[in-house]
Amino acid sequence: MKRLLCLLCLASCTQSQPLDAPAGGISALNEALDRTKDSAIPTASEAAISEWEEILEAATFTGHIGRRALQQLENIEAQQRDSILLSLVEKKAIPPESKRIAYSRLAADGAPEIVPRLVLRLRYEKDHSSNVAIAQALLRHGNGSGLAAIRTILSFSSNQYPEAQQAALEFIKSIPPHSSNQEDADAWGRFVRLESNWNNQRTLPGFPAPPIEGPLESEIWSMAARLVSQPLRPVDEARFVLSRMGGEIIPILVHLTRDQNRYLHEHALQTIAWIGAAAGAWADKEKFPLTTKLAESLSNASVRTRALEAIGACAASGAETALLPWLTQGNREEKTASADALLRCGTSTCLPFAQKALGSQDSLGPEGVYSLRLLVKALGAEVSTQPPSGLAPEEQKRRDRWARARRPAAEPQG
Amino acid sequence: MTRTENAAGWLAAGMAALGGAIILLVLAPPPSANATPPESSQACLKCHPGVAEEWATSHHALAYENPEVRKLSQDFRNEECLACHAPRPVLGFAPGQRVLARQADRAMGVDCLSCHSRPEGGVATSSIRPDRTAACRPVHDPRLASVDTCGSCHNQHGTVDQWRASSPALRGKNCLGCHMPPVWREGGRQGRDHRFLAGHHLETLQQAVELRAGILDDDEWWVEIVNHGCAHNFPTDERSRAADVQVRWMDADGEWMAWEHLHRFRDPYRDELDLTNTQLPSGETWSHRGKRLREGRGEVRLLYRFQPFLPDEEALEIARQSING
């Protein structure tokens, strides 16, 4: 009987646990939302929004009426003004002229906490002149995600949008030189340097980002809360915004990977992966242990492939060491994710592992096989880079892009 | 041997048998533990050629390669679309919760494992008598027939919510009744149609809605579109789907004039701010009365478009009815 009881005990102990059970049951997001909720931008009432819509319309007039309306804007308390103006530009139907006044006012003196909601306007705002004002507002707070809009506006054929193009040129001319660097000699050079810094490191020399604290922190957590949504639109919006923030967002996103919510964990990793090599460059520069932090998510089977993707995309120091075990020990999904990630950051260290994995292709998806072929080729060894059967053309193109943008990761620090 | 000894003997034997049975139960692996879950749906296709053939013609199989989706997602550079077009196994998510994208074999779209792979191991089947000798060790799993399983993707635009709000008579038990009707397979087994009959299947569309039209009096004619056969809006799910009612008249020379647009049923895209949702809810009727332009014949038709800008020639004609003068 004792033996029977032992067996029963043993059986109950070995019942399989769900692989994606949270490690600690923490709610990193809720804790942050609770902590910062009192400093969020106040919500503007419908009545206030309607009233200010009329005032903004009046502000588009010349003469006494327009001046008086603008004066009313001046007289309102700053945070309340930001709140009303943001709510107005987020409204579907508002005349473009009113919208431009609202955006330019936000560009002139909006507080840092407007940044997340303004970045989201880049997704929806179709008025090019307004996009220039958004870019100005964001730049003032050390965010360069509007620079792409400036480049797009200037890429249209001349006189297609003369007003917006003129505003974009003025925007570029207004960028002050940051150093005696030769590139800073002309305005376009300064713009290109800013854009390059933003794209590669998520920093903007001469335009320091405000610390993420107080109302700005509250707005960022509110935006992150959308990642949990079941309807996809809020998720899309949050990923859009968070992946366009400065490098300071990385520790916040990493903190979210500790949350017990599967969607939050997954999408935080995904957002980091979308920021990609710029996140890795920022982390290496700031001595932030990004790979180590991301590797903690590898213990959670439900987000493991996404963690592998993020580690490879960021290519921060130590990435290769974290990825290699999954190429040899993982299941089909994990091996494929590891191969994809290694394509983006692998060095000659992983060459023999890649070649060996290519010898047993059945355990990899066609995506992984193609990634390894490109990796082996990039590392200088002989291999056919023929796409394997079953590989979708879009996935082939994605990996071709990764191969072109490869950023071999440094050895782990310390 | 006394009766007491006899009874004790039987009791001991019974206990031993019970013990043995318990030990066997304990030692026996749980139903799915001995199943090595296939890691790719390619493995399924070998043993299930009939199902594979049906699936290959379905829009689940086409989910990733669909040219319309590729265009809208910029060849999936927009990764937001990946989750439903190359999903991880849906049973690995809480009922009705949205799925997330998988890493490998994306070209297979919504493949076998997307629906049948069980997080506990093995594969799920809705059959109540699964063939336990099969290599994949199928396990009866009621989740497979649950609307929540379909809802993980198909409720993004409210289709399952619409179904829940529809009349019980129309609703049936789940999505399978209409979209995976029973079929007979080789060996006399009953299975489910894996073509996932829906908007791309003319007969399914014709079962969903009815076009009625006629002459009211000398001056007026009428047309009705009745959603009497589907337990959700018409059209539903993807915003790109549109259905149009058109009418045309015969001129004095007996020549057909051009088709005139009367009405569109559609849920607009997010950025089509000037449009409202005109889908036809389950059980409801859209009706229109018009002035007769000619005394001669007229025709009304209902077209179904896979995307709103598709020309008439590429749309499916669900129904056409003459309006005789």
Side-chain angles (χ1 to χ4, degrees):
Chain A
M1 198 55 132
K2 256 185 187 173
R3 191 175 149 76
L4 180 63
L5 285 173
C6 282
L7 282 166
L8 283 168
C9 271
L10 193 66
S12 65
C13 292
T14 53
Q15 285 292 310
S16 62
Q17 295 291 320
L19 287 172
D20 59 349
I26 58 154
S27 177
L29 177 68
N30 289 340
E31 177 274 322
L33 286 171
D34 280 349
R35 182 169 48 78
T36 60
K37 64 184 178 204
D38 292 336
S39 44
I41 296 177
T43 309
S45 70
E46 281 301 321
I49 294 170
S50 298
E51 185 191 340
W52 282 95
E53 192 175 346
E54 286 174 21
I55 295 172
L56 270 193
E57 202 175 335
T60 63
F61 299 150
T62 51
H64 176 68
I65 296 176
R67 280 198 302 277
R68 199 171 149 194
L70 286 171
Q71 190 56 50
Q72 276 183 279
L73 263 179
E74 295 299 327
N75 294 343
I76 191 170
E77 190 271 327
Q79 200 180 32
Q80 199 189 347
R81 181 169 57 230
D82 285 351
S83 166
I84 287 167
L85 293 178
L86 278 173
S87 301
L88 279 169
V89 296
E90 286 163 353
K91 273 188 81 170
K92 283 181 178 178
I94 174 172
E97 296 77 17
S98 302
K99 215 182 252 190
R100 286 175 198 170
I101 290 178
Y103 279 125
S104 61
R105 199 72 186 82
L106 288 167
D109 60 5
E113 57 265 28
I114 65 171
V115 167
R117 281 166 72 181
L118 264 193
V119 170
L120 186 55
R121 297 312 306 151
L122 288 171
R123 182 179 175 122
Y124 294 116
E125 184 55 68
K126 291 187 168 64
D127 177 54
H128 295 304
S129 296
S130 293
N131 274 309
V132 177
I134 295 172
Q136 273 169 335
L138 294 176
L139 186 64
R140 202 163 59 78
H141 294 301
N143 183 297
S145 54
L147 300 177
I150 300 292
R151 187 178 273 274
T152 303
I153 290 165
L154 291 174
S155 72
F156 295 132
S157 61
S158 58
N159 298 326
Q160 200 174 353
Y161 301 102
E163 202 179 329
Q165 287 176 320
Q166 186 56 39
L169 285 173
E170 293 298 326
F171 170 91
I172 289 175
K173 281 181 196 164
S174 73
I175 299 170
H178 178 59
S179 65
S180 57
N181 193 322
Q182 193 64 35
E183 285 177 359
D184 276 355
D186 63 84
W188 181 250
R190 293 197 290 273
F191 173 78
V192 170
R193 181 180 51 81
L194 268 190
E195 197 183 30
S196 164
N197 264 289
W198 180 256
N199 291 340
N200 296 326
Q201 288 187 9
R202 284 303 161 94
T203 54
L204 290 174
F207 296 92
I212 297 182
E213 59 187 25
L216 175 59
E217 186 187 1
S218 178
E219 289 297 310
I220 286 174
W221 291 122
S222 300
M223 190 58 73
R226 300 185 193 199
L227 295 173
V228 184
S229 163
Q230 282 300 312
L232 272 172
R233 186 175 188 169
V235 183
D236 294 348
E237 291 181 344
R239 285 184 296 201
F240 181 91
V241 171
L242 297 173
S243 64
R244 282 165 177 76
M245 299 296 287
E248 302 74 25
I249 199 71
I250 306 295
I252 298 242
L253 290 170
V254 164
H255 184 68
L256 287 175
T257 66
R258 297 181 64 236
D259 197 284
Q260 63 186 324
N261 183 285
R262 174 183 195 168
Y263 295 95
L264 197 53
H265 196 162
E266 167 104 2
H267 295 314
L269 288 168
Q270 189 176 38
T271 307
I272 294 170
W274 286 7
I275 299 172
W282 178 89
D284 285 350
K285 188 168 158 241
E286 299 291 323
K287 304 270 186 282
F288 180 81
L290 182 57
T291 301
T292 309
K293 297 278 186 190
L294 293 176
E296 288 171 15
S297 293
L298 292 173
S299 62
N300 182 338
S302 73
V303 294
R304 190 172 293 142
T305 53
R306 201 58 68 216
L308 291 166
E309 182 190 27
I311 292 169
C314 296
S317 63
E320 191 174 39
T321 313
L323 295 172
L324 267 175
W326 298 99
L327 183 64
T328 52
Q329 297 161 20
N331 61 29
R332 185 179 173 89
E333 280 278 291
E334 290 155 1
K335 282 180 179 173
T336 302
S338 175
D340 286 343
L342 284 165
L343 168 62
R344 303 170 84 170
C345 70
T347 69
S348 55
T349 306
C350 68
L351 181 59
F353 297 95
Q355 286 171 318
K356 191 177 173 195
L358 277 175
S360 56
Q361 294 181 11
D362 284 353
S363 59
L364 280 165
E367 292 87 350
V369 171
Y370 189 61
S371 282
L372 288 183
R373 287 179 183 174
L374 293 179
L375 172 65
V376 169
K377 188 189 174 205
L379 296 174
E382 279 293 311
V383 69
S384 156
T385 53
Q386 195 72 14
S389 70
L391 180 67
E394 301 74 26
E395 295 305 320
Q396 182 188 340
K397 283 182 206 159
R398 196 190 308 282
R399 282 151 188 82
D400 289 340
R401 284 197 298 275
W402 287 343
R404 285 194 296 273
R406 267 174 52 73
R407 180 179 183 266
E411 291 294 310
Q413 290 166 343
Chain B
M1 195 182 280
T2 65
R3 285 179 66 180
T4 315
E5 282 171 330
N6 228 344
W10 279 111
L11 187 64
M15 286 292 286
L18 181 66
I22 292 173
I23 288 170
L24 276 175
L25 264 176
V26 169
L27 290 182
S32 59
N34 57 349
T36 308
E39 288 204 313
S40 160
S41 292
Q42 294 288 357
C44 315
L45 307 184
K46 291 170 195 162
C47 298
H48 301 278
V51 179
E53 205 172 304
E54 287 169 6
W55 169 82
T57 66
S58 76
H59 273 253
H60 273 174
L62 195 61
Y64 194 84
E65 298 290 5
N66 188 326
E68 290 162 32
V69 179
R70 281 165 54 180
K71 192 175 169 190
L72 284 170
S73 65
Q74 296 176 308
D75 277 346
F76 286 102
R77 285 188 80 143
N78 180 353
E79 294 184 30
E80 292 155 1
C81 311
L82 278 172
C84 285
H85 291 268
R88 287 181 220 166
V90 64
L91 298 180
F93 296 85
Q97 301 280 289
R98 65 185 160 86
V99 288
L100 296 166
R102 69 169 182 270
Q103 200 74 17
D105 305 300
R106 285 178 174 171
M108 294 190 75
V110 182
D111 61 0
C112 316
L113 297 182
S114 299
C115 300
H116 290 274
S117 177
R118 303 173 79 233
E120 305 89 344
V123 296
T125 172
S126 58
S127 166
I128 51 169
R129 282 185 296 278
D131 177 5
R132 300 290 288 131
T133 62
C136 57
R137 300 287 191 277
V139 179
H140 170 68
D141 193 327
R143 289 177 296 177
L144 206 56
S146 159
V147 286
D148 282 334
T149 300
C150 309
S152 289
C153 285
H154 292 283
N155 204 31
Q156 273 301 320
H157 301 304
T159 303
V160 172
D161 294 339
Q162 294 158 14
W163 176 86
R164 287 201 168 100
S166 68
S167 105
L170 209 53
R171 199 187 308 157
K173 280 199 293 189
N174 52 34
C175 313
L176 274 55
C178 294
H179 297 288
M180 294 187 77
V183 288
W184 292 102
R185 301 216 177 279
E186 60 272 29
R189 287 187 307 110
Q190 198 182 43
R192 291 279 180 180
D193 193 325
H194 278 65
R195 289 177 295 164
F196 303 99
L197 306 172
H200 284 79
H201 189 245
L202 185 58
E203 281 174 37
T204 303
L205 288 169
Q206 287 169 335
Q207 285 161 14
V209 285
E210 185 184 354
L211 181 157
R212 300 172 187 156
I215 297 293
L216 205 61
D217 55 38
D218 285 349
D219 294 326
E220 284 192 311
W221 71 285
W222 62 275
V223 58
E224 284 180 353
I225 306 295
V226 191
N227 180 351
H228 67 161
C230 76
H232 49 66
N233 291 359
F234 168 81
T236 190
D237 209 3
E238 296 178 54
R239 289 168 187 266
S240 46
R241 301 290 184 254
D244 291 323
V245 188
Q246 297 178 333
V247 63
R248 70 174 180 176
W249 302 97
M250 193 173 267
D251 67 15
D253 300 328
E255 295 290 325
W256 284 112
M257 299 168 73
W259 287 103
E260 296 166 25
H261 175 80
L262 275 184
H263 183 73
R264 167 162 282 192
F265 301 102
R266 183 172 165 246
D267 183 13
Y269 291 128
R270 288 174 186 175
D271 57 354
E272 290 175 312
L273 304 176
D274 50 333
L275 299 179
T276 54
N277 186 345
T278 55
Q279 291 174 322
L280 184 61
S282 174
E284 292 195 11
T285 299
W286 170 85
S287 56
H288 171 84
R289 282 184 185 195
K291 290 279 179 202
R292 288 174 62 192
L293 298 183
R294 302 283 180 277
E295 287 190 0
R297 288 172 58 202
E299 273 190 336
V300 59
R301 69 178 178 181
L302 178 61
L303 295 182
Y304 187 84
R305 301 179 208 272
F306 303 126
Q307 49 105 335
F309 315 110
L310 208 64
D312 290 359
E313 310 80 72
E314 293 176 38
L316 285 180
E317 185 175 306
I318 298 176
R320 180 186 295 218
Q321 189 167 327
S322 67
I323 315 162
N324 290 315

